[in-house]
Amino acid sequence: MSETTAREAAGTGTQERGFGARLLGALVRVREVSILIVLVGLALYFQTANPAFLSQQNILSLAQFAVPYVVIASALCLLLICGEIDLSVGQSFAFAPIVMYLAYDKLFLVLPLAVLVGLAAVAVVGLVNGLITVYLGVSSLITTLGMFFLLAGLNVTLTGGFPATTPETSSVTQALGESAWAGTIWALIIVAVLQLVLSRTRWGLHTYATGGNPLGAREAGVSIARIKIGNFILCGVLGGFVGIIESFRINSIDPLLGGPDIVLLCIASAVIGGTALLGGVGTVTGAFLGALVLTILRNGFTLQGISAYTFNIILGVAILIAMILNVYVARLRGAGRA
């Protein structure tokens, strides 16, 4: 082989290796790729194990079941990125439909106005969480834990501990969750809007800065208090809104609808999707994919008749692996290799 041919062959090999290294680096930088691979792999596995998994009826069931987790995980994502957490959003999920029902049934407001009253109530909850955390210096973990129990008591007290029936079917109730795919459409819209806000707006940039480098953000003129309080309000409102959607879907306003289970699963969804609990890192898309992974796991296990305890074991392992990978990728980036 001539010297020229040898040089060309060596150059081609270098380019191929260079492309492979660039591709690997790109995959490491895009956090959602790994969770997307897991998502596809789980879907293929459960479809192989049970052909009913991708049936039309089960896909609808999956989509409906995922809605609360997708929306709340996406809302929590913004709050986690700015370095805070909201444990009370699971109770806001039940509180907003109850306030809506009372405004409609006791105050005789028209349904759209009653919905706004319900959302205003959870916005106040988010505002109180934010004010206590930011201005009184109480950890958001403690603040929202207290609010969790306060709302849990209010939900039972306001309803007498018994579920109530949602208003009669109308175009409004159909749009708010009674229609089969209404909740899914709302969830996709919310995820798209939040991801755009996080990645394309000043609010998103300031949210990352607040969680990633609060001292630098403050010196750069970012209103950290406004960002945190705003994200607390947003989290509460979206948690309440998806609670209203879920109430119309099941045609029942249940004071026990929310609770620790939903909020912990939503936090797990965000973490599995790449959101760091210490703030500054994460995407709404990742939280969305994380929620889908957990939904598919639970649904697939149910179809196979596997115990719910097994789901909790796998969930715990998944969270640990996700956190270890987060730390490892952060080290790679710090070393300039990703």
Side-chain angles (χ1 to χ4, degrees), residues 126-146:
L127 176 63
V128 171
N129 284 335
L131 291 175
I132 293 174
T133 299
V134 172
Y135 291 112
L136 297 184
V138 180
S139 165
S140 59
L141 182 70
I142 303 302
T143 299
T144 58
L145 182 62

Side-chain angles (χ1 to χ4, degrees), residues 67-77 89 93 235 238-239 242 262 266:
V67 168
Y69 299 99
V70 165
V71 173
I72 295 177
S74 299
L76 276 170
C77 180
V89 68
F93 177 72
C235 188
L238 289 178
V242 78
I262 187 170
C266 290

Side-chain angles (χ1 to χ4, degrees), residues 71-127:
V71 173
I72 295 177
S74 299
L76 276 170
C77 180
L78 270 72
L79 201 52
L80 289 169
I81 288 172
C82 72
E84 303 295 346
I85 195 169
D86 186 356
L87 298 180
S88 68
V89 68
Q91 295 296 348
S92 294
F93 177 72
F95 185 56
I98 291 171
V99 175
M100 176 201 71
Y101 170 76
L102 293 175
Y104 176 80
D105 189 62
K106 306 300 182 183
L107 301 180
F108 305 106
L109 298 180
V110 294
L111 185 56
L113 189 56
V115 170
L116 292 178
V117 171
L119 296 180
V122 286
V124 171
V125 170
L127 176 63

